[in-house]
């Protein structure tokens, strides 16, 4: 039996028919949290990834915890809220280090780059996730990734190392 679909609707939920020819989730854009864990030398070692529920857009793929932005919500606030809702990430344990924006004619997706300040284990906290986990950087490309995340991964990896 598959997990139930969430029943809540938020003001930012909905599809945008973009001039690029695709439709995108999030009436006000969307954001996700790329949360990195570092070793004692400061090198990035792992990131939190979400295995998306089959019923979701591009379900079954792995990507970042994230989703639609609310009206007037910043990308950082949206990414932190979504990561808390979907992966149990406590915003107080996260240091935001930057943003990477993918801009379309009628929509945008912001990847919020952050690092964990304290050790913790992410957890499935809603029906949008099959699993969430710390994934070693070298293993990220081995997973069936959300296509847009797969395209952005090399750039995001560089940004995390800088």
């Amino acid at each position: 039996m598959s997990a139930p679909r969430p029943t809540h609707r938020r003001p930012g939920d909905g599809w945008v028919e973009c001039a690029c020819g695709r439709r995108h989730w999030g009436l006000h854009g969307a954001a996700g949290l790329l949360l990195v864990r570092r070793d004692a030398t400061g090198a990035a070692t792992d990131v939190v990834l979400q295995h998306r529920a089959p019923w979701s857009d591009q379900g079954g793929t792995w990507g970042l915890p994230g989703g639609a932005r609310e009206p007037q919500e910043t990308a950082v606030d949206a990414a932190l809220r979504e990561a808390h809702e979907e992966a149990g990430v406590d915003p107080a344990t996260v240091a935001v280090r930057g943003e990477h924006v993918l801009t379309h004619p009628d929509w945008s997706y912001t990847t919020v780059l952050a690092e964990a300040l304290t050790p913790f284990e992410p957890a499935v906290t809603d029906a949008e996730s099959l699993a969430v986990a710390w994934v070693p950087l070298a293993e990220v490309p081995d997973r069936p990734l959300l296509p847009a995340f797969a395209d952005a991964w090399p750039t995001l990896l560089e940004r995390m190392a800088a």
Side-chain angles (χ1 to χ4, degrees):
M1 183 169 133
S2 64
R5 294 179 189 216
T7 57
H8 62 279
R9 295 279 300 173
R10 301 186 67 108
D13 287 355
W15 294 100
V16 171
E17 298 295 333
C18 186
C20 75
R22 296 200 56 222
R23 64 184 206 152
H24 308 287
W25 183 253
L27 298 176
H28 310 284
L33 187 69
L34 180 58
L35 185 60
V36 65
R37 180 164 60 182
R38 297 185 182 278
D39 65 16
T41 70
T45 58
D46 308 272
V47 292
V48 172
L49 293 185
Q50 170 197 44
H51 192 189
R52 301 165 59 84
W55 55 262
S56 67
D57 182 40
Q58 299 176 53
T61 61
W62 287 80
L64 303 178
R69 290 172 60 178
E70 304 276 327
Q72 310 304 316
E73 187 177 41
T74 68
V76 169
D77 289 342
L80 292 172
R81 175 182 52 77
E82 290 281 347
H84 179 70
E85 291 173 1
E86 296 175 356
V89 176
D90 180 354
T93 66
V94 171
V96 173
R97 302 296 188 212
E99 297 178 12
H100 177 78
V101 181
L102 172 66
T103 304
H104 283 250
D106 303 301
W107 181 84
S108 67
Y109 183 90
T110 303
T111 301
V112 174
L113 307 164
E115 54 188 74
L117 298 174
T118 59
F120 78 95
E121 286 303 316
V124 172
T125 52
D126 76 3
E128 293 180 36
S129 305
L130 293 176
V132 291
W134 285 110
V135 177
L137 298 182
E139 295 177 17
V140 169
D142 297 337
R143 299 198 179 219
L145 299 177
L146 185 80
F149 178 60
D151 291 344
W153 178 243
T155 299
L156 296 171
L157 190 58
E158 283 181 25
R159 293 276 313 267
M160 284 186 296

